[in-house]
Every structure is written in C-alpha cells, then in structure tokens.
Amino acid sequence: MTITRFAPSPTGRLHVGNLRPALLNWLYARKQGGQFVLRIDDTDAERSKEEHVDAIKRDLDWLGLGWDRFERQSERLDRYDAAADELRASGRLYPCYETATELDIRRKVQRNAGRPPVYDRAALKLTDEERAKLAEDRRPHWRFKLDQTRVTWTDGIRGETNVDCGSVSDPVLIREDGGYLYTLCSVCDDIDFGISDVIRGEDHVTNTATQIQIFDALGGAATAFAHHSLLVDEEGASLSKRLGSLTLESIRDQGIEPLALLSYMARLGSSDPIEPRASHDELIAGFDLNSYGRAPARFSPGDLTALNTRILHTKPYADVAALLRDAGVPDAIAEPFWHLIRENIEELDAIPAWVAILKGDCESVVDAEDADYVATARARLNAAKPWTAETWKAVTADLKTETGRKGRALFMPLRKALTGRTDGPDMAALLPLLDR
Ligand code: GLU
C-alpha cells in the first residue's frame, strides 16, 4: 500500500515552504488510495514547542488535509536507542569528540587549502587511550560511517539521481547531549510505519543518499524518494528568509480560502496550469507527480490573491451561511445578499464592511454639489417603501425626469449616499435588502 508522511519539526509555524511537501505527500497518498501519516519530528526538546504541534494540526485541519496516523518522534526514543546499538555493534556508528569550534577551524583550513570541508574521520583514528582521555571531560557525538560509494536512486521527480558519498561528511546521528538527530529517527520511522514514498524538498537530496545507507545498515528496504524544487520569489530569489512571514496562519488571517491556497500550491512548479479547484477530490483527480519539474517554483502572493478572488466569486452560499449569520446578516436575506456581494469582494474579510452597509452603519458620502439632489432622492425613496426589486428603477426614472440628471450624475450620488462607496453590486438588487 502507498503510505506517505509529512514530518514537520514543531520549531515554528508552518509556512508555504512546508505546505509543499505536506500537500504533495497528501495528494500522492489520496490519489493512490493509500494512507497519509502526520509525524512530528520533535527530538530537539529545546526548540520543539507544544503550541507549534497544535498549530500544525490546526493548519492542516483548516486546509482539509486529514491524516490517518499521528506519531511523534519524542515518544519513540527506545526504538532509536535500539537502532543506535545495532549500528554501534556493526561498526557503523562511532564516537567523535571534536567541539563545534574545532570542527569549524578544521573546515576553514580545508577550504583555504581548496579542499571540500568534509569531516576527516579523525575520530576513527583515535587509539583506545586517546579516546578514554578525551572522554574524561568531553561527551561524544556519534557519526554514521558512510560507505564511500556512489548512491543511486530513481527519483520520482528528478529521475536518475546519484550522490557520491565519498565527498559527504559522515552524518552526526546523536548529539553530544544524547539527543537524536532526525536523520536516524526518520529512517527508523519510515521502516516501522511502512512508508512507501517520501516526497520532500531538494535540500534533502544529500540526506537521502546517507539515509539510503542507513536503511541498508538497519536491514530495512528504502522507500521511494522524490525531491521537489524549492520556492523562490517572483524575481527568482530564495524565499527562505521571507518564509517566516508567509505562515499558513497569516495567509488564513488574510482571508485566503483553503482551496485557493491548495489549488495554487498543488500546481506551483508543475507543468499544468494553475486553476481554481472546487474540491479536494478535484485536486486529487488532477494531481500527477510526473508533472513536477526541477525548476524552482515561483511563489507570487499576487497570483494567490487573484486565484482566491476567482474562487470567492463563485463560492456557494452554503459555504458561508454560518459566517454570514455570525456577521449579523438575517437568514431571510443572507442568500441573495451573498450572491450580490461575492463578486465585489476579494476576501472574506470584506464581509463586515458590507454588513455595515446592509444595516446602514456605514458613512454616507454626499458631495456638496449633490446635497439637494440627495435630499430629494431620500424623500422619494422613503415614500417608495417597502423597497422591492422594482423600486430602484422606478425611483431613478422619476428622479431623472424631475432633476434632469442622467447617467453617472443620476446614479453615483445615490450609491455613495447609500453605501459610502463608489463601487459595489447592482443597486436595484441591493436596495430591497437594505435595512433602512
Ligand atoms: N523534519 C524534517 C524536515 O522538516 C523532515 C524531512 C523529511 O521529510 O524527511 O526537514
């Protein structure tokens, strides 16, 4: 069975960069009729926060990306202990005593000499005595001893991919404080949870090579891997520094619809056009991992807003009924009200302003030169109550005859007086809904 997973570290809020692997893994699992696991990579006790775990769940719930299984690495430390013992026993995990500063200096020296800053395996050359001496006042971190060979796999997006592990540092799997790095934990989890496919960012390509070796060393079959490109901004520059402000929470707060964000993100970096999708099922049906390429995916907030607007303009009343009720729109007129305003708003946040117009709580705008005209119109409109679908046409026809005004001069002062704005829906349809 296809089983994928999304494995965020709860060290901050999810942003659009995280959404890419979340969505691709979810879509892939759903398309294959498989399962989707949410795994929290929280072995870094200092940086992991419970509030971020809650926020991750809230964000995925908001987007409708449900999971079939929930796991967290902090509850599986026994399993990682066992795996570490196994690797130690087979000589693949070795203790190192260098401090961060020492390693830093060593890397600088290597760079200055024109050599790649790869860990030189000095710890493997220590004698037992030297090791015992270092252990007197230092605690070791532990590295995985890579086979210095070329690791090859068929990547679901990049095609044939290989990494020469001869030019990669032996990865640290256990920190000096005994904490596990995700590199080892992830392999244990992928084996134990039967993960069949891992889709993640191309910043993990080297990790994949080392993890394929760890799968092998632990006697597990490696999953299939696909590495998607990373997001860049409209100018093609890395988004990494700006991702902090592109959190899913802030996008939700801007009034972006879940399906707008999903429709947009599902097609970024793919050869298929970006189109609004009306449901998750439609998204799944249109998903094809083969359509993604290696080129960076350009994230444009403007394109997202434009897509959101397109989705909002056709949003069915049922989807917003509760929202309108909460905003104080009477049930009796809520549906026609929604159909009128949806094409005039860019985000749901704009609803309260229209509710204020509905209730007459808006600032009436009357220019000095229109004051007399508006006063006359007010009298005529008041006399024409109750307002119906015909009222606007009839009253403005009378006003035209009475005042000689026509076109914009006839209509705009009335729109401004009644709504406080120069734009908005058809006044003939709006008038009967106004509560004046
Ligand atoms: N916690 C890792 C990360 O967020 C997971 C990477 C992976 O999908 O394997 O980078």
Side-chain angles (χ1 to χ4, degrees):
M1 181 173 27
T2 297
I3 307 180
T4 65
R5 57 17 174 226
F6 172 49
S9 305
T11 53
R13 293 297 200 252
L14 293 184
H15 48 63
V16 286
N18 307 120
L19 178 53
R20 212 158 137 72
L23 180 58
L24 297 188
N25 280 291
W26 187 87
L27 285 169
Y28 192 78
R30 293 291 174 254
K31 178 103 189 193
Q32 312 289 323
Q35 293 191 348
F36 176 67
V37 177
L38 172 59
R39 183 184 90 199
I40 302 294
D41 287 2
D42 56 352
T43 53
D44 185 340
E46 218 159 276
R47 293 177 59 225
S48 298
K49 299 251 158 24
E50 212 45 41
E51 55 157 300
H52 296 314
V53 178
D54 295 340
I56 287 167
K57 290 180 173 171
R58 218 165 35 235
D59 287 339
L60 295 180
D61 274 339
W62 170 62
L63 290 168
L65 304 182
W67 52 92
D68 306 292
R69 178 169 181 173
F70 177 76
E71 293 286 346
R72 42 199 308 167
Q73 293 190 328
S74 57
E75 287 168 5
R76 291 178 38 81
L77 299 179
D78 289 351
R79 168 64 168 110
Y80 310 141
D81 289 343
D85 286 344
E86 197 180 328
L87 294 178
R88 273 186 207 103
S90 60
R92 297 298 292 274
L93 193 63
Y94 63 96
C96 303
Y97 293 87
E98 296 91 346
T99 64
T101 320
E102 284 165 1
L103 288 173
D104 215 30
I105 294 171
R106 221 178 273 178
R107 280 192 291 263
K108 275 192 191 119
V109 171
Q110 287 171 310
R111 274 200 205 92
N112 288 343
R115 279 180 285 130
V118 176
Y119 179 60
D120 59 7
R121 293 189 160 172
L124 277 179
K125 290 157 209 140
L126 294 173
T127 63
D128 287 348
E129 275 153 31
E130 285 167 330
R131 208 172 288 119
K133 182 101 188 55
L134 283 164
E136 279 170 16
D137 53 4
R138 289 188 188 191
R139 294 177 62 182
H141 56 275
W142 296 77
R143 287 187 192 261
F144 178 73
K145 187 167 170 235
L146 287 170
D147 257 340
Q148 296 184 315
T149 51
R150 196 170 280 280
V151 174
T152 312
W153 70 94
T154 306
D155 193 283
I157 293 175
R158 300 162 67 89
E160 287 310 305
T161 305
N162 65 75
V163 172
D164 176 12
C165 282
S167 55
V168 174
S169 296
D170 287 342
V172 176
L173 300 189
I174 307 175
R175 285 189 307 254
E176 205 179 291
D177 64 4
Y180 285 102
L181 277 122
Y182 122 94
T183 319
L184 171 63
C185 309
S186 183
V187 172
C188 296
D189 296 347
D190 288 344
I191 294 173
D192 294 358
F193 306 155
I195 302 299
S196 60
D197 298 80
V198 170
I199 306 171
R200 57 185 180 185
E202 64 183 19
D203 48 338
H204 282 292
V205 165
T206 306
N207 281 346
T208 293
T210 63
Q211 285 182 325
I212 287 175
Q213 289 202 11
I214 300 174
F215 272 104
D216 211 33
L218 291 175
T223 66
F225 286 95
H227 295 84
H228 59 74
S229 61
L230 301 182
L231 297 185
V232 292
D233 67 15
E234 284 147 298
E235 278 76 49
S238 162
L239 255 194
S240 56
K241 290 215 177 64
R242 284 170 43 203
L243 284 173
S245 61
L246 290 170
T247 63
L248 303 189
E249 270 175 3
S250 67
I251 289 175
R252 175 177 55 218
D253 290 348
Q254 276 164 42
I256 299 288
E257 292 288 299
L259 274 170
L261 183 58
L262 296 178
S263 303
Y264 183 63
M265 294 300 297
R267 286 294 169 80
L268 265 199
S270 97
S271 52
D272 295 329
I274 292 173
E275 290 161 353
R277 297 287 176 177
S279 67
H280 289 75
D281 286 344
E282 247 187 55
L283 275 171
I284 295 164
F287 173 75
D288 179 7
L289 194 62
N290 292 320
S291 70
Y292 295 86
R294 293 182 63 162
R298 271 171 207 262
F299 180 85
S300 153
D303 288 352
L304 174 59
T305 314
L307 190 67
N308 191 53
T309 306
R310 281 173 69 190
I311 287 187
L312 207 56
H313 289 178
T314 55
K315 200 171 177 56
Y317 166 64
D319 288 4
V320 291
L323 198 75
L324 294 175
R325 186 171 305 138
D326 290 348
V329 181
D331 284 350
I333 60 158
E335 187 162 1
F337 173 71
W338 175 243
H339 289 149
L340 264 188
I341 67 158
R342 66 182 180 184
E343 285 182 21
N344 291 282
I345 60 178
E346 293 195 346
E347 42 208 38
L348 291 174
D349 276 4
I351 290 177
W354 280 100
V355 176
I357 290 169
L358 195 63
K359 297 187 171 289
D361 294 336
C362 58
E363 187 95 20
S364 183
V365 174
V366 182
D367 296 337
E369 70 267 24
D370 295 326
D372 290 346
Y373 168 59
V374 170
T376 310
R378 176 180 291 122
R380 299 293 170 270
L381 280 169
N382 277 334
K385 279 185 176 172
W387 294 336
T388 66
E390 281 74 46
T391 309
W392 180 258
K393 201 163 169 227
V395 170
T396 51
D398 288 351
L399 286 168
K400 185 175 177 185
T401 318
E402 193 176 336
T403 64
R405 285 184 178 238
K406 53 185 183 187
R408 198 179 156 83
L410 178 70
F411 296 111
M412 188 53 83
L414 305 185
R415 177 182 288 281
K416 278 159 61 178
L418 284 161
T419 70
R421 341 175 22 131
T422 53
D423 63 332
D426 175 23
M427 287 302 292
L430 182 64
L431 193 66
L433 305 182
L434 296 184
D435 183 15
R436 303 283 151 83

